[in-house]
Amino acid sequence: MPSEFRLYNTLTRQVEPFAPADGACVRMYTCGPTVYNPAHLGNFRTFLFEDLLRRVLRLRGWSVNQVMNLTDVDDKIIKRANERGLTITQVTNPVIEIFHRDREYLRIERAESYPRATEFIPQMIALVQALVDRGVAYQAEDGSVYFAIDRFPSYGKLSRLDTREVRPGARVSQDEYSKENAQDFALWKAAKEEDERTGAAWDSPWGRGRPGWHLECSAMAMSLLGETLDLHCGGIDLIFPHHEDEIAQSEGATGKQFSRFWCHGAFLLTDGTKMAKRLGNVHTVADLRENAVSAAAVRHFVFSTHYRQELNLSADALEGALNAVRRIGTFARRLEEARGGTPALAEAARIAVESARAALFDDLNAPEALAALHTFIGAANAELDRGGTDESAMQEARRAFALIDGVLDVVPEEVSVEAGLAERVEALLAERKAARARRDFAAADAIRKSLEAEGIAVEDLPTGTRWTKVR
RNA sequence: GGCGCCGUGGCCAAGUGGUAAGGCGGCAGACUGCAAAUCUGCUAUUCGUCGGUUCGAUUCCGACCGGCGCCUCCA
């Protein structure tokens, strides 16, 4: 199947054809979490977008080498470690564990590597050295090393911001470091007392210190993926300054293009505003689990809006996703159990795959892929109602569903059944069957109602009665 | 102040210079002892407002109104 894959590139502000430079493996770097606090759903929206991207890249036929960094040394981590009398590692280790648990809950595929900033200090120092050698970085009086943006002419090409002036209304930097130029950013920060105390200081040619935030990503990306990446992704708020600075550092050191494509996911909002820790309106994966919001529902919710569009988290939207995903789950089971199909089923399957691929390859149009899936489910259900004995049509339908769901991954998980429950339910259902046989529907309905009250759905099918635990 | 995004039915949300996908919800019908699931039909003469370009605009341009984001903590 030919189909060109197209992706929006922040560098050019256009949707462009994309393919990996070597034609086979996409080398992508995705900015990961700063691990001082469990990541919130806003962070996960971005990670979900990246999960979608890597799955679509594979659907297109490429392999993927994804790196997601874990920023395990930074101001907030040091602050927290200091407050609690811990080392930064003692702060970050448990948070990293939570990150992976949340990641798995949301069915976000494991990236090929999760480098920790603290494990790449030598590479970072080498990068700073290269920049100093090339004359685009300097050590200031405070001992820190800064990148001199006016010695890097293309600075600003990604964000297209006029960095010359800081206007009224802009947040003003309260920098405690001394720099030549207000826009220069720290590559290497001279160690302070609390850095030493929390294990956040390393030896370097410029004295004890620690890496600047931007430096971490450049060093890890280039160490693990080479000097020119195919793709670099993150949240839209990283465009400036983080990604702009990464470009400056990396290209300033190598003279080569750092990343061919830059992709940014839009924000997740809560109550109409950005979800951010400092605004105190964050929701986490833990909140979702408490409210029995399945991963499938979250994915459906997130993928129902294009990744470059803001998305507002609301109870109504989540509820809608939960219901939609229930229909998908019912259909998935029905597909497994069906014996045969019809020619029209096969035709619907072909259309679904074609539409979903076209949508996904067109700048990750997940909402449209979801629509293709739903349209397929409607058509397939109608055909299945009609019966049919065509085995190959059935297989084609299963393949189509597996292919699309292999990207979206929106079938709700089965609710686990605790020991002993099955026997108890079966016993009650036997009683109910007897009641129905003697047409004592009041008794039969009472049993069904009591089971439903504890989260057991009872359905009478032509083939017999089936029960499922729904929560 | 600079830069940028958005405004589509009750809710969520695609999309296109040629006459509005899909989901949720709701209503009616089929099926069922009744339900559930599923199916069928209905649910925006209209895409923030006002102008302009055009044979034709929701889609292009301009203004305005409303919401949001970035301008060195930030997914």
Side-chain angles (χ1 to χ4, degrees), chain A residues 4 38 47 84 101 108 111 123 149 178 187 199 226 329 360 365 431 436 446 461:
Chain A
E4 181 181 54
F47 303 150
R84 300 183 183 173
R101 206 173 333 131
I108 294 170
Q123 291 88 336
I149 66 159
S178 54
L187 295 165
L360 260 6
N365 195 334
E431 241 178 77
R436 292 180 76 204
L461 308 175

Side-chain angles (χ1 to χ4, degrees), chain A residues 261-374:
Chain A
F261 270 70
W262 289 84
C263 300
H264 300 276
F267 284 132
L268 176 68
L269 310 179
T270 334
D271 307 319
T273 54
K274 175 179 173 177
M275 183 182 293
K277 287 164 190 166
R278 70 183 166 89
L279 298 176
N281 62 350
V282 299
H283 295 268
T284 61
V285 172
D287 297 338
L288 294 176
R289 300 174 86 142
E290 268 170 38
N291 290 300
V293 180
S294 64
V298 178
R299 296 180 69 94
H300 189 103
F301 165 67
V302 168
F303 294 151
S304 69
T305 298
H306 187 89
Y307 76 92
R308 286 192 282 115
Q309 213 63 45
E310 283 175 349
L311 170 62
N312 197 222
L313 181 72
S314 71
D316 280 358
L318 239 28
E319 165 102 33
L322 229 22
N323 290 335
V325 124
R326 191 173 304 140
R327 175 174 184 245
I328 296 172
T330 302
F331 176 71
R333 192 171 56 186
R334 190 174 187 193
L335 256 194
E336 276 169 32
E337 293 169 356
R339 289 304 185 74
T342 59
L345 176 66
E347 180 58 17
R350 281 191 285 274
I351 291 171
V353 168
E354 206 174 297
S355 323
R357 284 175 63 105
L360 260 6
F361 290 174
D362 180 16
D363 193 27
L364 304 180
N365 195 334
E368 216 165 282
L370 229 25
L373 178 63
H374 278 115

Side-chain angles (χ1 to χ4, degrees), chain A residues 432 435-436 438-449:
Chain A
R432 177 167 176 272
R436 292 180 76 204
R438 62 176 188 269
R439 303 193 67 78
D440 182 358
F441 296 119
D445 291 351
I447 291 170
R448 183 172 63 196
K449 211 162 176 192

Side-chain angles (χ1 to χ4, degrees), chain A residues 371-407:
Chain A
L373 178 63
H374 278 115
T375 302
F376 172 59
I377 290 175
N381 268 144
E383 288 310 309
L384 258 20
D385 277 0
R386 200 164 281 141
T389 53
D390 188 337
E391 180 69 23
S392 72
M394 193 63 242
Q395 291 305 330
E396 187 147 1
R398 289 198 181 114
R399 272 200 303 274
F401 183 77
L403 183 140
I404 298 171
D405 191 57
V407 172

Side-chain angles (χ1 to χ4, degrees), chain A residues 14-273:
Chain A
Q14 277 179 326
V15 176
E16 304 174 349
F18 170 88
D22 69 5
C25 178
V26 179
R27 288 164 304 140
M28 64 188 272
Y29 186 88
T30 47
C31 281
T34 298
V35 286
Y36 74 102
N37 237 356
H40 61 250
L41 294 178
N43 300 304
F44 276 110
R45 183 196 181 186
T46 299
F47 303 150
L48 243 10
F49 137 63
E50 292 157 352
D51 180 60
L52 174 72
L53 174 58
R54 57 138 45 216
R55 291 182 195 228
V56 172
L57 290 171
R58 282 211 314 268
L59 179 68
R60 176 60 187 69
W62 297 310
S63 63
V64 171
N65 186 184
Q66 180 190 0
V67 173
M68 178 176 280
N69 67 290
L70 300 171
T71 295
D72 63 349
V73 50
D74 109 305
D75 292 355
K76 282 180 212 138
I77 294 169
I78 292 165
K79 183 165 174 254
R80 179 143 314 176
N82 206 242
E83 284 165 1
R84 300 183 183 173
L86 302 171
T87 63
I88 53 170
T89 312
Q90 288 172 318
V91 170
T92 57
N93 276 347
V95 180
I96 289 173
E97 261 177 57
I98 293 171
F99 166 70
H100 277 115
R101 206 173 333 131
D102 289 348
R103 196 202 93 236
E104 275 164 23
Y105 181 74
L106 295 178
R107 303 177 184 174
I108 294 170
E109 291 185 342
R110 194 174 176 85
E112 280 60 35
S113 54
Y114 291 97
R116 296 172 64 142
T118 52
E119 292 167 351
F120 282 77
I121 301 294
Q123 291 88 336
M124 294 178 200
I125 289 172
L127 183 55
V128 177
Q129 188 59 256
L131 291 166
V132 170
D133 291 348
R134 282 190 165 227
V136 291
Y138 61 91
Q139 183 168 28
E141 281 177 16
D142 61 6
S144 296
V145 180
Y146 295 95
F147 185 93
I149 66 159
D150 53 7
R151 280 174 242 162
F152 185 73
S154 65
Y155 190 81
K157 70 177 174 185
L158 179 69
S159 59
R160 301 186 180 186
L161 282 177
D162 179 6
T163 58
R164 301 289 85 184
E165 299 168 83
V166 177
R167 295 294 189 138
R171 276 180 273 155
V172 184
S173 97
Q174 58 270 4
D175 219 303
E176 59 252 55
Y177 302 92
S178 54
K179 309 185 262 191
E180 286 177 6
N181 183 314
Q183 274 90 44
D184 289 353
F185 57 90
L187 295 165
W188 187 259
K189 297 179 171 184
K192 290 190 278 196
E193 197 191 322
E194 57 264 39
D195 299 348
E196 294 289 358
R197 199 159 41 218
T198 55
W202 291 264
D203 286 321
S204 84
W206 313 279
R208 299 279 291 170
R210 60 185 171 96
W213 175 39
H214 317 305
L215 183 72
E216 302 175 358
C217 285
S218 289
M220 292 189 279
M222 292 197 289
S223 303
L224 294 166
L225 297 171
E227 291 179 340
T228 299
L229 319 174
D230 287 312
L231 216 49
H232 193 131
C233 315
I236 195 168
D237 52 343
L238 296 186
I239 294 174
F240 190 86
H242 189 232
H243 289 340
E244 194 69 67
D245 290 351
E246 281 189 53
I247 291 174
Q249 292 167 338
S250 308
E251 301 189 357
T254 66
K256 294 178 190 158
Q257 179 169 37
F258 179 44
S259 181
R260 300 169 51 233
F261 270 70
W262 289 84
C263 300
H264 300 276
F267 284 132
L268 176 68
L269 310 179
T270 334
D271 307 319
T273 54

